[in-house]
Amino acid sequence: MTSNKLNQIIMIVACVAMIFPYFQLMGDFRGIQPYVTIVLSLSFLTCLLITLEKRPPYYIFIIPLAFIFVSLLLDNKLDILFLRNFLSYLNFCFVFFIFSVYFQRYTFPKKLFYYSLLIWILAAFLQLFFGEKIFSSLIVASTTSSRGATSFATEPSFFGLQLCMLLTILYLNDNKFKTRSFLLLGFIGLLLSMSIISAYFYACTYLAALIAKKQLRINYVIYATLGLAIITLILIDQRFGNIIIGIYEQGFIEFIKGDSSGSKRIFGAITPFILSFNNLFLPLVDPIQSINDFNCTICRNDMKISSFLGNFIFHFGFLFIVIFIFIFLIQKNLRNVTVLFFLSLLLLVEIPVAHPLVPLLILSLFKKQDYKLS
């Protein structure tokens, strides 16, 4: 078997692991599973064996190396928190590197993504008919009958996120995927997940994709608005509808204060930004220690930093902010900046850095329009 063939096979296996990252094959904890990192590592090694016309983005691995440097500089303990953060950044870099190579050499695996999308949706329908515990032997999931399906994710919001990104990545990489179908499947996904945060995921991701493909038209905006109104009416007696009614009657701030799940997500998302601000945007490593040091009463007091971008700002401070602003400044036109803006809004909330579809989404958005990332 040639190195090229081996690389292609391992890359397809890596795709499967990225599309289904929650199966508990190696432990009983929730979240992105270790087998994803293992398969991505193998795929990365096979990428090093093949010849490429363009130099792959080795520079991306500055991120985990910088994290090690910052941790050592701040005398951070080499504990489970350090390992989890390091592997999260490593996962991000592996996917970014691997698919930079993949887009050079191979055609996008559309069939794999279409079949996987169908499997995710069918699994959600099975949960609605046979109960949310039907896949409990495969995945530790958290949901109730009023919160929606989880499919093969750990909770309805992450099912919404996974389906949203799968749909968007397909839409960006398959010119035969019609915009109306893209929107319709999004409505189905939102209806199945019954999750308000999923609606936020869809809004940000879909706007970025439609703008990137020059498909943001008034008829689609009307279509999306009507679809959201219909979904709200269907789910009016579910948690989705209760949240919308509560925000309408009480106002956003008052409702969030009284909703434990909502406040946990909101305050979890802003916690790293507050802590970084209090530290003058210098790098930090331990969220619990930082919360205690700055006496932050509204911060989410656990080891988890919820926001994707918040992780980068918390760990790298002003260094990341400078790079982030620079990326905006080098864009060629307003459309590119707008795409980055909506992508940034998506990544402000509770999305783990280790989520393998995020860097693939970024590459899919930028490769189509010759956007600059470096």
Side-chain angles (χ1 to χ4, degrees):
M1 182 182 296
T2 65
S3 57
N4 287 340
K5 189 64 176 178
L6 177 63
N7 173 251
Q8 189 173 15
I9 292 172
I10 297 297
M11 278 190 166
I12 293 299
V13 175
C15 282
V16 174
M18 291 164 56
I19 294 170
F20 301 98
Y22 297 108
F23 290 137
Q24 291 179 274
L25 304 180
M26 304 176 65
D28 58 355
F29 57 90
R30 298 174 64 189
I32 307 299
Q33 296 294 303
Y35 65 80
V36 178
T37 303
I38 293 171
V39 176
L40 290 176
S41 302
L42 292 174
S43 184
F44 169 71
L45 292 175
T46 61
C47 285
L48 300 179
L49 300 176
I50 61 177
T51 304
L52 299 169
E53 294 181 4
K54 297 181 181 179
R55 183 179 177 84
Y58 292 105
Y59 64 82
I60 197 69
F61 290 100
I62 292 174
I63 296 173
L65 293 176
F67 175 73
I68 293 174
F69 177 77
V70 167
S71 297
L72 294 176
L73 189 66
L74 298 178
D75 294 324
N76 185 37
K77 296 178 182 178
L78 302 182
D79 55 10
I80 188 65
L81 177 61
F82 167 83
L83 182 62
R84 186 178 70 180
N85 288 326
F86 172 73
L87 291 178
S88 294
Y89 288 121
L90 195 62
N91 264 17
F92 176 86
C93 297
F94 275 152
V95 177
F96 192 93
F97 183 94
I98 289 165
F99 275 89
S100 295
V101 172
Y102 194 99
F103 285 135
Q104 277 194 50
R105 296 191 62 88
Y106 313 113
T107 57
F108 185 79
K110 292 182 289 188
K111 286 186 178 180
L112 173 62
F113 272 73
Y114 276 117
Y115 286 132
S116 299
L117 186 65
L118 179 62
I119 291 170
W120 273 90
I121 293 174
L122 285 176
F125 274 110
L126 288 173
Q127 282 184 319
L128 294 181
F129 284 109
F130 299 106
E132 63 270 10
K133 301 297 183 182
I134 187 173
F135 302 119
S136 59
S137 61
L138 295 174
I139 296 168
V140 174
S142 174
T143 189
T144 62
S145 58
S146 66
R147 288 188 62 205
T150 60
S151 188
F152 293 125
T154 55
E155 58 181 78
S157 60
F158 285 140
F159 165 49
L161 174 66
Q162 192 78 4
L163 199 66
C164 171
M165 287 201 284
L166 284 173
L167 282 165
T168 306
I169 290 166
L170 263 173
Y171 179 67
L172 292 166
N173 288 284
D174 183 8
N175 291 329
K176 295 181 180 180
F177 194 179
K178 301 299 182 182
T179 302
R180 289 184 180 179
S181 300
F182 178 50
L183 294 173
L184 179 60
L185 287 170
F187 292 141
I188 292 172
L190 182 57
L191 192 60
L192 289 170
S193 68
M194 305 183 195
S195 167
I196 284 289
I197 191 65
S198 292
Y200 179 85
F201 293 149
Y202 279 105
C204 295
T205 310
Y206 271 46
L207 281 169
L210 291 171
I211 294 168
K213 293 192 72 171
K214 302 180 183 179
Q215 292 294 313
L216 187 60
R217 301 170 184 170
I218 188 64
N219 58 318
Y220 293 140
V221 174
I222 295 172
Y223 182 27
T225 304
L226 289 174
L228 185 58
I230 292 170
I231 288 174
T232 303
L233 290 173
I234 294 173
L235 301 179
I236 198 68
D237 294 326
Q238 306 296 327
R239 176 167 168 78
F240 187 98
N242 293 336
I243 291 175
I244 291 179
I245 293 172
I247 292 174
Y248 176 76
E249 293 178 346
Q250 303 174 37
F252 181 77
I253 300 298
E254 290 302 316
F255 178 81
I256 289 298
K257 286 181 180 179
D259 185 81
S260 59
S261 177
S263 60
K264 183 179 179 181
R265 290 183 184 277
I266 296 295
F267 293 132
I270 65 176
T271 290
F273 298 93
I274 295 173
L275 297 176
S276 186
F277 175 79
N278 287 336
N279 199 46
L280 302 177
F281 295 107
L282 295 173
L284 293 163
V285 290
D286 189 336
I288 295 179
Q289 180 182 337
S290 300
I291 290 170
N292 293 332
D293 290 345
F294 298 118
N295 192 27
C296 182
T297 57
I298 67 170
C299 291
R300 180 170 171 175
N301 191 15
D302 57 25
M303 294 174 62
K304 182 179 179 181
I305 298 176
S306 299
S307 167
F308 185 97
L309 289 180
N311 269 278
F312 283 85
I313 289 178
F314 182 82
H315 291 133
F316 303 111
F318 69 92
L319 297 173
F320 173 74
I321 294 173
V322 170
I323 294 172
F324 186 71
I325 293 173
F326 176 73
I327 292 174
F328 268 90
L329 292 177
I330 63 174
Q331 298 309 310
K332 295 179 178 180
N333 53 55
L334 181 60
R335 180 164 56 87
N336 299 6
V337 172
T338 308
V339 171
L340 275 173
F341 172 75
F342 284 113
L343 178 62
S344 300
L345 285 181
L346 170 71
L347 300 180
L348 280 176
V349 296
E350 190 173 1
I351 299 175
V353 173
H355 198 295
L357 291 184
V358 172
L360 179 53
L361 173 65
I362 294 171
L363 284 172
S364 297
L365 280 167
F366 293 129
K367 83 178 186 66
K368 287 293 182 182
Q369 299 295 337
D370 194 29
Y371 295 154
K372 294 181 179 178
L373 288 176
S374 61

